[in-house]
Amino acid sequence: LLAYKNVKKYMFFGILISGISVFLEGFASSVYQLYFLTLVLQLASNFALALPFSILMLRWFRGRSSFAISIIFVGVSLGGMFWSSPITALIEAEGWRMAYRVIGLVIMLIVAPLCLLIVRNYPEGEEKSVENAAHRASKSQKPKFDKALYREKRFWLLTAGLFFNSFACVALYHIPAFIQSLGYTAAFAAMMVSFYSFINIFSKVGMGMLFDKLGLKAGVLLGVFGTLGCYVFMFIASGIPSVPMIAVFSFLFGIGLATQSIFMPSLVSGVYGQEKYSTIYGRISVFTLMASAISNPIISAVYDVTKSYRIAWMICIVIA
């Protein structure tokens, strides 16, 4: 849908529906309502987050797209840095329901209108020519499902790498709980989220520059260093907790977390080019989202059974 279509339109509705879903989650009266609204949120967020961002950057910044994508995703890190502590404070003061309602209203009333005001599908002068070409192509030939792609060794290697990387980013959802399991407060955990989000700003920019200047391997090595180092120090901290140890693994996670947003667009465009980008991205997303879907329950189950994250972090070290 997004390969030649109006990204702004899909992005606006993706953001709007995401905001409505989060807002309604604040009123959920059963876990099944929460599940349903989260499903809607996940479907809508595909049109609101990484894919439209990266497609727009590939259209606007040819030749330095990885750096441009890294700059865009710096906004995500800034959001994590500035909002984690206020939202934690809001949850503690008013409860999670009120926090969800506030977040939903912000998305609906501020983010969605900003999308309409700011987003442009193509650089000035290109939009009509590209849309006309896409219209002629859609009239002359029907879209084909390229089965040959699934016989390519490089497709499966790239998919496997991104699958395991997506699994390895599971700490994003567990670090606050892990820090609290070591005996620290929710406020301190939120402060560490702000800290690794701050580090993530520079790691995203650095990783984007490495991809553009030195090639794909250089950017991948930086990401692997951060991810693997983070889990090694988290494993050590689970046995010997201390503030310096938590600061070290948070710092390294700030580097490793950049892989979640930068790896996929940079590697897919670097290996396959812009023309096939949307199609390849969509197909690989099936597997990376599957990794995210299974990694959270696995890590949570390990913690529930053992009452510790040590074995969970050992699993993540192996995968990283």
Side-chain angles (χ1 to χ4, degrees), residues 13-305:
F13 284 110
I15 292 169
L16 186 64
I17 294 168
S18 296
I20 293 169
S21 301
V22 174
F23 179 76
L24 292 176
E25 281 181 332
F27 293 92
S29 58
S30 76
V31 71
Y32 299 106
Q33 291 176 6
L34 202 61
Y35 286 157
F36 172 75
L37 290 166
T38 302
L39 176 63
V40 175
L41 173 63
Q42 290 301 316
L43 292 169
S45 67
N46 285 310
F47 295 95
L49 298 172
L51 183 55
F53 288 167
S54 49
I55 287 174
L56 288 169
M57 291 304 98
L58 286 167
R59 290 177 180 177
W60 277 78
F61 299 97
R62 295 184 180 92
R64 48 198 174 100
S65 57
S66 291
F67 180 65
I69 289 167
S70 71
I71 294 293
I72 282 290
F73 284 106
V74 161
V76 178
S77 300
L78 286 171
M81 186 175 74
F82 287 121
W83 290 110
S84 60
S85 293
I87 288 174
T88 300
L90 179 62
I91 291 171
E92 289 179 338
E94 301 292 338
W96 68 269
R97 290 182 181 277
M98 180 57 70
Y100 270 53
R101 293 167 196 170
V102 170
I103 295 168
L105 286 172
V106 168
I107 295 170
M108 286 187 285
L109 302 180
I110 298 178
V111 184
L114 277 175
C115 172
L116 291 178
L117 287 171
I118 294 172
V119 174
R120 298 289 179 271
N121 289 301
Y122 292 95
E124 192 173 351
E126 284 190 27
E127 186 145 12
K128 285 188 177 179
S129 62
V130 173
E131 287 182 351
N132 289 339
H135 180 71
R136 288 195 299 272
S138 66
K139 289 288 185 183
S140 63
Q141 52 183 251
K142 294 179 181 179
K144 294 179 180 178
F145 186 75
D146 185 9
K147 292 182 180 178
L149 181 69
Y150 294 113
R151 293 193 290 270
E152 285 187 10
K153 181 180 174 182
R154 66 173 180 172
F155 173 81
W156 289 112
L157 285 171
L158 184 59
T159 300
L162 290 169
F163 175 90
F164 287 121
N165 183 71
S166 184
F167 189 106
C169 287
V170 68
L172 173 65
Y173 309 103
H174 291 272
I175 281 183
F178 172 56
I179 292 173
Q180 289 179 75
S181 75
L182 298 177
Y184 296 92
T185 64
F188 178 73
M191 188 171 70
M192 287 297 102
V193 171
S194 296
F195 174 60
Y196 73 62
S197 297
F198 176 72
I199 300 302
N200 194 227
I201 293 170
F202 301 99
S203 58
K204 282 176 179 175
V205 173
M207 200 173 290
M209 292 175 70
L210 283 174
F211 274 125
D212 284 340
K213 300 291 185 183
L214 299 179
L216 300 180
K217 288 183 182 178
V220 168
L221 283 172
L222 176 62
V224 170
F225 166 77
T227 306
L228 183 57
C230 162
Y231 282 120
V232 168
F233 279 94
M234 287 171 78
F235 176 77
I236 297 169
S238 63
I240 316 169
S242 68
V243 172
M245 195 69 69
I246 292 171
V248 169
F249 78 63
S250 296
F251 176 86
L252 289 168
F253 186 65
I255 297 172
L257 184 58
T259 66
Q260 191 181 47
S261 52
I262 305 299
F263 266 20
M264 186 107 152
S266 296
L267 290 171
V268 171
S269 61
V271 173
Y272 283 97
Q274 184 179 348
E275 189 177 338
K276 290 186 175 181
Y277 177 81
S278 300
T279 305
I280 304 293
Y281 190 107
R283 293 187 190 186
I284 293 180
S285 288
V286 172
F287 296 95
T288 57
L289 290 171
M290 193 187 303
S292 297
I294 64 174
S295 60
N296 264 319
I298 288 173
I299 300 303
S300 298
V302 169
Y303 178 77
D304 286 346
V305 170

Side-chain angles (χ1 to χ4, degrees), residues 301-319:
V302 169
Y303 178 77
D304 286 346
V305 170
T306 65
K307 305 304 177 187
S308 169
Y309 277 103
R310 282 178 71 81
I311 295 175
W313 300 153
M314 284 178 66
I315 293 168
C316 290
I317 287 171
V318 172
I319 287 170

